[in-house]
C-alpha cells in the first residue's frame, strides 16, 4: 500500500459550486460561466486574501431546471438562470458585498450565516 499524501487547500471565505452537468445546460453555457470565474474573481479581489472564493465544478445538483445553477457555501444560497450579467451581480453584491441577489435565488438554507 502506498503512502497517501494529505492534500492542502489555501484559506477561503466562500466556496462557489457550479453545476456543469449536461442536464442543466446542454449548450455548454455553465462550463463557459465556470471558465470565466478566474478573471472575474481576480478583478474583484476574490482570488486571494480574506475574501478569497474557491470555485468547483459539480457534475449534478439534481435540480435540473433553470440552469446554469450555482451554490454559494457556507451561505447556503442557491442561484438559477445565471447568465454572465447575473454572475457579475453575484460577484459584486454577494461575494464582495455579502448580500444575495434575491431575484435569482431559488433556495436559501435556513441556517445561513447573516452578514459578513
Amino acid at each position: 500500500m502506498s503512502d497517501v499524501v494529505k492534500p492542502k487547500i489555501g484559506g477561503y471565505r466562500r466556496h462557489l459550486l457550479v453545476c456543469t452537468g449536461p442536464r442543466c445546460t446542454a449548450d455548454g453555457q455553465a462550463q463557459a460561466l465556470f471558465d470565466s470565474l478566474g478573471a472575474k474573481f481576480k478583478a474583484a479581489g476574490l482570488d486571494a486574501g480574506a475574501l478569497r472564493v474557491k470555485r468547483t465544478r459539480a457534475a449534478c445538483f439534481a435540480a435540473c431546471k433553470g440552469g446554469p445553477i450555482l451554490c454559494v457555501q457556507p451561505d447556503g444560497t442557491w442561484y438559477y438562470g445565471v447568465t454572465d450579467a447575473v454572475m457579475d451581480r453575484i460577484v459584486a453584491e454577494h461575494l464582495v458585498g455579502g448580500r444575495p441577489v434575491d431575484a435569482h435565488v431559488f433556495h436559501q438554507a435556513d441556517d445561513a450565516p447573516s452578514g459578513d
Side-chain angles (χ1 to χ4, degrees):
M1 183 174 186
S2 65
D3 290 335
V4 176
V5 176
K6 183 177 181 179
K8 294 179 184 178
I9 295 176
Y12 59 91
R13 170 72 177 93
R14 290 188 172 96
H15 191 173
L16 183 68
L17 303 157
V18 180
C19 182
T20 57
R23 290 172 50 179
C24 266
T25 55
D27 63 359
Q29 183 182 5
Q31 182 62 51
L33 185 69
F34 183 85
D35 292 343
S36 75
L37 292 176
K40 289 180 187 298
F41 286 2
K42 187 171 185 178
L46 299 173
D47 61 324
L51 290 179
R52 180 174 175 253
V53 176
K54 179 172 173 45
R55 64 186 192 264
T56 302
R57 283 182 295 252
C60 184
F61 285 146
C64 299
K65 293 183 177 155
I69 291 175
L70 59 89
C71 180
V72 178
Q73 293 294 357
D75 303 11
T77 305
W78 292 74
Y79 289 101
Y80 72 102
V82 181
T83 63
D84 194 54
V86 171
M87 189 69 237
D88 288 343
R89 287 190 63 199
I90 292 169
V91 167
E93 295 173 33
H94 189 159
L95 301 179
V96 173
R99 296 173 313 278
V101 181
D102 291 335
H104 292 277
V105 172
F106 74 93
H107 179 76
Q108 178 64 59
D110 293 336
D111 60 348
S114 59
D116 283 6

